[in-house]
Amino acid sequence: MKFGSIEAGGTKFVCAVGNENYEILDSVRIPTTTPDETLSKCIEYFEKFDDLTAMSIASFGPIEVRTDSPKYGYITDTPKPNWSNTNFLGTMKKHFDIPIFWTTDVNGSAYGEYITSIRNHNPLQTLVYYTFGTGVGAGIINEGSFIGSLGHPEAGHIYLKRHPDDLDFKGLCPYHHSCLEGLAAGPTFDVRCGKKGKDVPMDDPVWDIMAYYIAQAVMQATLFIRPQKVILGGGVISEPVIKKVREQFKEMFNNYVEVGDLDYYITMPACEDNGSATIGNFALASRQYYKENIVKID
């Protein structure tokens, strides 16, 4: 079997083809431009493979995940210019008559980490995966399933307590300003520092501000979800950043409940090169294939 994966991000789309062992056989990166141009390039890529069994799409959002909604499969009111009300799933289904799973980009990553934990013989029943990149989002797995009935989690828009040295920063989210995405997404470096986060040295005080906000997100996830692990991914995150987050979390959480070793509890993704969403997509595509092709015996 061959499975298709689309990890649709605000900066780039990662399209890949893999097998039943979740091994990547081929992949390509496509810049996120307009919907017509970007989706056309995705279609062109997958049309090279005439033996795809199923596909999974993990997209930036917000997206509509309710199957009974007339806009199921759409990217809805996203701050990403030109992408609001894009019928992503419908466009792909017009070209590929195969089962296609539809979820958020960070749900895909969370599921990839869940599958990887099983394959590593250390299964996680409950985990939270945050991504900090062009935007901020969280995927939550509980007992192998995603949470959310009316829609997917929007944990990137939780409100935060401001860092005392960051009170003058307006925040970049056009809806909430002082939410996690507005204060800790990658583009905030351009406004605060005049350059990309990758070009900001780790001894710059802005990293303490970022860690302060990320640690608050970890604290909220800990208290609401009580996961076995909180995984931090995306372009903003690195091992030095994780270390700062653990320090901030330890101070503000103050051992309120037991979470175990922080080196284990707050971690980078287990999947290599942040490929969690691709692995998750292969697994979700496989799941969707068997769901649509199961033989029922009376």
Side-chain angles (χ1 to χ4, degrees):
M1 292 186 183
K2 287 184 180 178
F3 302 113
S5 165
I6 302 178
E7 179 188 1
T11 303
K12 66 181 182 299
F13 278 40
V14 179
C15 298
V17 172
N19 59 25
E20 61 269 25
N21 295 319
Y22 312 141
E23 297 167 330
I24 297 175
L25 305 177
D26 193 80
S27 65
V28 67
R29 293 172 181 253
I30 298 170
T32 307
T33 55
T34 65
D36 286 344
E37 181 179 25
T38 307
L39 296 184
S40 292
K41 288 183 177 179
C42 291
I43 292 165
E44 182 181 349
Y45 171 74
F46 286 111
E47 283 180 338
K48 297 187 300 181
F49 305 90
D50 58 5
D51 55 351
L52 286 181
T53 304
M55 182 185 297
S56 179
I57 302 169
S59 174
F60 70 89
I63 67 174
E64 181 57 79
V65 295
R66 294 173 294 180
T67 56
D68 60 349
S69 168
K71 285 199 170 183
Y72 172 66
Y74 278 64
I75 296 175
T76 55
D77 296 323
T78 177
K80 180 70 176 174
N82 304 315
W83 282 84
S84 289
N85 294 310
T86 295
N87 187 2
F88 194 155
L89 179 60
T91 300
M92 300 306 292
K93 279 186 169 291
K94 285 180 182 179
H95 292 83
F96 302 100
D97 186 22
I98 57 176
I100 304 178
F101 191 85
W102 168 249
T103 191
T104 65
D105 50 356
V106 71
N107 267 353
S109 294
Y111 203 76
E113 290 295 309
Y114 167 71
I115 290 295
T116 299
S117 75
I118 294 172
R119 289 163 63 86
N120 289 340
H121 307 291
N122 187 25
L124 295 169
Q125 296 303 311
T126 305
L127 66 90
V128 177
Y129 185 109
Y130 280 100
T131 185
F132 292 86
T134 306
V136 178
I140 303 168
I141 302 290
N142 186 50
E143 300 295 334
S145 299
F146 299 122
I147 69 165
S149 297
L150 293 180
H152 54 81
E154 280 287 355
H157 294 272
I158 58 172
Y159 273 87
L160 302 176
K161 178 182 179 181
R162 286 291 194 124
H163 191 284
D165 296 331
D166 197 45
L167 300 179
D168 294 332
F169 179 59
K170 184 179 179 181
L172 296 187
C173 175
Y175 296 96
H176 309 122
H177 301 298
S178 291
C179 66
L180 182 61
E181 180 169 295
L183 298 177
T188 62
F189 285 99
D190 295 274
V191 179
R192 289 191 180 101
C193 307
K195 51 188 172 184
K196 303 295 182 184
K198 63 183 179 63
D199 298 321
V200 179
M202 286 306 302
D203 59 358
D204 190 301
V206 72
W207 284 112
D208 294 321
I209 293 173
M210 297 292 279
Y212 180 79
Y213 294 141
I214 296 171
Q216 285 187 60
V218 175
M219 180 172 173
Q220 294 194 32
T222 299
L223 295 172
F224 273 92
I225 310 298
R226 296 305 304 275
Q228 292 167 276
K229 183 174 283 194
V230 178
I231 301 162
L232 306 179
V236 171
I237 302 300
S238 65
E239 286 291 356
V241 174
I242 293 275
K243 182 178 179 181
K244 286 180 176 290
V245 171
R246 290 179 185 134
E247 292 169 351
Q248 295 271 12
F249 175 84
K250 182 177 181 180
E251 181 178 348
M252 66 177 64
F253 198 61
N254 198 27
N255 292 317
Y256 179 65
V257 295
E258 176 63 37
V259 297
D261 181 5
L262 291 186
D263 288 347
Y264 174 85
Y265 184 66
I266 305 173
T267 69
M268 296 275 286
C271 296
E272 294 182 4
D273 300 322
N274 270 354
S276 308
T278 298
I279 301 301
N281 272 337
F282 291 157
L284 290 167
S286 175
R287 191 175 86 172
Q288 189 70 11
Y289 170 77
Y290 286 109
K291 178 181 179 181
E292 294 189 20
N293 291 279
I294 189 169
V295 177
K296 295 183 179 180
I297 301 175
D298 294 330

